[in-house]
Amino acid sequence: MQLVGSEVSVAQCMMSKITRSDQLSDNNLLKNIELFDNLSLRFNGRVLFIKDVIGDEICCWSFYGQSRKLAEVCCTSIVYAMEKKQTKVEFPEARIYEETLNVLLYETPRVLDNSLLEATSCSCSQAALSEGDEGFELRDRVQCIHVKRYSTYDDRQIGH
């Protein structure tokens, strides 16, 4: 899969039907399909999910970010039993979740709206206002929280 110049993170799942399989492998293949559907709904707009049903792989997940392949999770194993070779499908749910979250590290940062930046800025410092003879002071009680974003490669701030 070629993603030249792509800014979006991609999760691709290649699936095809097993010719000879057992009930457990069929159930695990269905679990992989269900997980793919759930993740594509959960991360819609943040990660592009592609289901490839034409390929040769029985079940294999590939994760891409910044136009390069980051990880691959193969769900098949070959088992030799009773003088015949069988292909088993596994369901490595934790590993698939881990790689999906890792690919989010490569997503393009969203541009913030100027009105949001102005509303959350610390330009209005704690000014004191007094009302008449009572000496009532009204202080700004909004505490500003600064969040620093760092790239995954070094400690330089992004966008500064």
Side-chain angles (χ1 to χ4, degrees):
M1 171 176 236
Q2 189 69 12
L3 297 170
V4 177
S6 177
E7 297 289 328
V8 68
S9 299
V10 176
Q12 176 188 18
C13 187
M14 294 181 280
M15 298 181 186
S16 66
K17 181 68 177 139
I18 308 171
T19 54
R20 284 187 257 165
S21 67
D22 58 352
Q23 185 65 33
L24 181 62
S25 289
D26 286 341
N27 287 341
N28 285 340
L29 185 62
L30 290 174
K31 287 179 184 179
N32 277 286
I33 293 170
E34 183 180 3
L35 179 61
F36 178 87
D37 293 339
N38 289 338
L39 290 174
S40 63
L41 290 173
R42 176 177 285 167
F43 296 110
N44 184 24
R46 296 181 70 185
V47 177
L48 175 64
F49 284 85
I50 300 171
K51 188 185 292 183
D52 182 2
V53 294
I54 298 174
D56 295 334
E57 293 287 336
I58 294 171
C59 183
C60 187
W61 295 72
S62 300
F63 299 91
Y64 300 86
Q66 295 179 347
S67 302
R68 62 186 178 98
K69 190 174 195 175
L70 302 173
E72 186 173 81
V73 178
C74 290
C75 307
T76 56
S77 62
I78 297 174
V79 178
Y80 296 95
M82 305 296 274
E83 298 181 11
K84 63 180 181 177
K85 182 173 86 169
Q86 287 186 335
T87 303
K88 300 280 186 181
V89 176
E90 300 165 350
F91 181 53
E93 182 179 22
R95 177 89 194 279
I96 294 168
Y97 272 118
E98 178 184 3
E99 296 303 336
T100 302
L101 293 176
N102 284 337
V103 83
L104 287 175
L105 295 172
Y106 292 88
E107 80 178 320
T108 306
R110 297 182 180 158
V111 178
L112 296 178
D113 186 19
N114 282 338
S115 60
L116 178 64
L117 290 175
E118 290 174 10
T120 58
S121 70
C122 292
S123 61
C124 46
S125 62
Q126 297 198 2
L129 299 175
S130 62
E131 281 187 7
D133 296 333
E134 297 153 359
F136 177 75
E137 289 187 351
L138 177 65
R139 295 194 181 260
D140 184 25
R141 297 176 187 252
V142 178
Q143 179 183 8
C144 297
I145 300 172
H146 299 281
V147 178
K148 294 181 182 177
R149 283 203 155 147
Y150 295 98
S151 70
T152 56
Y153 301 110
D154 55 20
D155 290 338
R156 291 180 295 169
Q157 291 183 9
I158 296 175
H160 293 283

